[in-house]
Amino acid sequence: MVTQITKGIKISVLTGFEGTFFKNHKIHYAFSYEIIIENQSKDSVQLNSRHWEIYDSLNHKEIVDGEGVVGKKPVLKPGEKHIYTSGCLLASPIGAMNGYYTMVNFTSTKSFQVEIPTFKLSAPFALN
């Protein structure tokens, strides 16, 4: 598990390899990731958007921007957690992801970014 705290918001990530499949005559490697967002600050916050940078070992980079996470814009009071699971496909058995969430602090009404630490994605057979 990788963890990072930004402005009192703790992000923890667990990853898993889900398998391979063929699509459009190419092999794809499927990965899952579970994100735990924990509000360790004294203010209530809301997650409004996400920005991902997804890399594979073939030097391909994909940028993904969107509202919320898995269709939700969770509000977290101090001490609360939000946990969700998502996934991605890579063209290689090894890769990595990182990014940030844009959140709003309800006390100050200001937006801020919470870093998502870089986490590795690797199929178990790809590493010696």
Side-chain angles (χ1 to χ4, degrees):
M1 177 185 312
V2 296
T3 300
Q4 184 166 335
I5 300 172
T6 307
K7 297 183 180 179
I9 308 301
K10 181 179 178 181
I11 306 296
S12 302
V13 185
L14 294 165
T15 62
F17 175 65
E18 301 301 322
T20 59
F21 67 95
F22 282 92
K23 180 180 175 186
N24 298 330
H25 305 290
K26 291 182 182 178
I27 192 166
H28 295 281
Y29 301 86
F31 295 91
S32 64
Y33 53 90
E34 180 182 79
I35 307 273
I36 303 165
I37 304 166
E38 184 176 354
N39 184 357
Q40 296 181 338
S41 77
K42 60 180 176 47
D43 300 317
S44 293
V45 299
Q46 182 174 25
L47 188 156
N48 287 327
S49 64
R50 68 190 183 284
H51 172 86
W52 286 110
E53 296 181 7
I54 306 167
Y55 304 89
D56 67 25
S57 60
L58 302 174
N59 208 22
H60 177 258
K61 176 182 174 181
E62 181 181 359
I63 305 276
V64 177
D65 290 297
E67 289 194 13
V69 290
V70 293
K72 297 181 182 176
K73 292 184 176 182
V75 173
L76 298 169
K77 294 176 183 170
E80 289 185 339
K81 293 180 185 179
H82 179 77
I83 301 170
Y84 74 95
T85 302
S86 192
C88 71
L89 297 176
L90 298 181
S92 68
I94 298 173
M97 292 177 64
N98 63 31
Y100 59 84
Y101 298 120
T102 300
M103 304 184 101
V104 65
N105 179 308
F106 285 164
T107 302
S108 69
T109 68
K110 294 187 182 198
S111 290
F112 63 101
Q113 289 183 349
V114 174
E115 296 298 317
I116 303 166
T118 299
F119 55 93
K120 294 179 177 152
L121 303 166
S122 60
F125 59 81
L127 301 175
N128 290 334

